Structures are given as C-alpha cells and as structure tokens.
Amino acid sequence: MRLLLTLFMALLTGCVAMQESKPPPQHTIKKFSISEELPTLPSGSRLIPGTHFSVIFADSAATLLVPVPFVGEAVTGAINSSKSESYKEHYVGIDILKFAKEAFSRSEFYSEQPQATKLFPVGYVQECFDDVFRISLAIEVDSDNWVGRYLYHIPTHIPVSDVKNPTQLEVETLSFELNEGMQKLTELIERDIRGQLNSTNKSVDFGSYYIYGSNLGGLITPSVMHLSDGQLIEEGNDYVIFRHSGDPSVAGNAGALLFGVHYFRKEQLHTFEVIE
C-alpha cells in the first residue's frame, strides 16, 4: 500500500508545475500594503460572494454520474457555485480584509504608497472527508521577480451540518481565530523580510487534512496522504513552521494549498516527522 501511495503521489506532484517556496531576496521588500484584490485561487474553488473566503469542495457525485468528463465538471461547478452563494448570509460579516489591515498596519513595513509590495489575503474553506470544513488563512505576497505565500491553519472546524447556518458561537470563535491568525501571519512575513525564516536544513515528513482533505480519485483517503520534502524552519512544543513547494493554481483537493510557509499546530497534523 505504501508503494502504491508513493507512486500515486509522484504522479500527482509530477502533473503540476511545482513552484519553489523560498525567502524573498534581500532588500526586495521595503514596504508593503494590503490589496483588496484576490490572489491566485485553486482551480474549481468558489468564492462566497462579498467575502474573501474561497471554498474548496470535495469531489461531487455529479462527476461520477455523468459519463462525459467536461459535462460532469460543468454540473459540479454549478452545484458548488450554488452552495457558495447560500453561505453568503452568515460569512459576509467576517471581514478578512479588515483583519489584515488592522494587523499589518501596526507593522514597521506597512505603507499606503502605491509602489509598496502588495499583500493579498484570503481564507480557504475546505470541505473534508470527515464531514467538517477546515479553514486556512493565507497571505500571498507579490513582488518583483518573487512570489511568496504564508498560511496559518485555523483550529476551529465547522461541521458540514452547520456551515450554511453556523451558531453565533461558531461565528464569534472563527472571527477571533482569524484575527489571531492574521497577527501570526504578520509576524511570519516580517521575519521573512528580515531573513529570520531560514531552513534548518532538515526535512519534514507531514500529512494534514488542511492540505489534502478529501479522497483522491475516490480511492485514497487523506489519512494516508503525506509528503516528505517540507523544509523545516522552526519547531516548538506544540507547533511547527516549514516551507513547501507547490502550485497554487491546481485544484484544491489536488494540493493547491501546499505552496508556501505553513504555521501548523502539531495536533493539526496526522503525520509528522523531522528528517535529519
């Protein structure tokens, strides 16, 4: 089974244009500002209208029922667009842009000048195999000849049964954790600009439902999905920071969230090992 999984992962990653995640070149970023535009989004994801939440749905049964692939994709797209529209009422009030501006405006690197490097905030909401949605807060950074991304994975899970009509406590908790996550992303980006997020020259073997949340090809469960080429930056008692290459434009359930610097709580990883 492990050999089969290894071969499958090699084929999967070989099918995308893997983009290396690396620190910004020295003196590349002097000032940054928050953009209201969206970053590169995973193929097939759907925005919740009026928000900066991008929903990554699990494979729909529609693609299995329709024999012509592109017709199945069209049906799935229509279903997912309808779903994301129905989430609008409860999530439009959670303002990721506001959280970003509040957190980053306190940074010494913040500026409103048009020539400042642009930061693009977004929240990825991934439908997972265990009937919950997991949320990853991300900031994409676009500068001359360099693109970076930083991800903070939110602790709270929202059950599929609640996502269309979350409780007030769920909304308040999510808002608090997104705000907290934005402050952590501010810290990560500042540290990277200063050259303080360098690799330890150790690799990370990891797996997380925040990256692969649904079954791949209807055959492989995410609980056995893991990759061993993350670059360890920092490890604490209950958290880990590492970089990983990837392609942000592929489908969300094919690894679109791999690329970038990740801040994970260890409890969010079903597989974790540091390789010397």
Side-chain angles (χ1 to χ4, degrees), residues 40-46 55-56 247-253 256:
T40 301
L41 298 177
S43 172
S45 62
R46 294 291 183 272
V55 186
I56 298 170
D247 183 351
S249 67
V250 300
N253 50 21

Side-chain angles (χ1 to χ4, degrees), residues 105-231:
S105 65
R106 294 190 287 269
S107 170
E108 65 179 276
F109 296 102
Y110 185 79
S111 172
E112 293 288 355
Q113 296 301 316
Q115 68 269 26
T117 297
K118 300 300 182 185
L119 308 186
F120 300 85
V122 66
Y124 295 109
V125 185
Q126 183 168 197
E127 182 181 20
C128 296
F129 78 110
D130 53 352
D131 294 328
V132 300
F133 280 83
R134 290 179 170 84
I135 300 169
S136 298
L137 185 63
I139 297 287
E140 183 175 303
V141 185
D142 286 0
S143 186
D144 293 340
N145 303 315
W146 179 82
V147 176
R149 186 167 68 174
Y150 304 80
L151 301 100
Y152 175 90
H153 304 283
I154 301 297
T156 291
H157 304 160
I158 300 180
V160 169
S161 57
D162 289 359
V163 74
K164 287 186 178 180
N165 190 24
T167 66
Q168 185 63 31
L169 179 60
E170 285 172 331
V171 171
E172 291 175 356
T173 302
L174 177 58
S175 296
F176 174 82
E177 292 179 354
L178 286 167
N179 196 16
E180 185 177 60
M182 199 65 78
Q183 295 175 54
K184 180 60 68 175
L185 291 178
T186 305
E187 176 189 325
L188 288 177
I189 292 173
E190 288 179 333
R191 289 176 63 187
D192 218 9
I193 291 173
R194 297 189 185 107
Q196 298 171 351
L197 287 186
N198 295 316
S199 173
T200 60
N201 295 318
K202 298 177 182 179
S203 297
V204 173
D205 184 344
F206 86 101
S208 175
Y209 302 145
Y210 284 83
I211 304 298
Y212 292 106
S214 58
N215 294 338
L216 287 177
L219 299 173
I220 298 179
T221 64
S223 61
V224 298
M225 296 290 295
H226 62 97
L227 297 164
S228 58
D229 49 358
Q231 304 170 37

Side-chain angles (χ1 to χ4, degrees), residues 131 259 261:
D131 294 328
F259 174 75
V261 173

Side-chain angles (χ1 to χ4, degrees), residues 12-20 245-250 259:
L12 179 66
T13 55
C15 291
V16 300
M18 298 295 278
Q19 179 177 339
E20 184 181 2
S245 57
D247 183 351
S249 67
V250 300
F259 174 75

Side-chain angles (χ1 to χ4, degrees), residues 6 68 83 113 184 225 244-245 251 268 270:
T6 301
V68 182
K83 287 181 180 178
Q113 296 301 316
K184 180 60 68 175
M225 296 290 295
H244 207 288
S245 57
Q268 296 171 320
H270 61 72

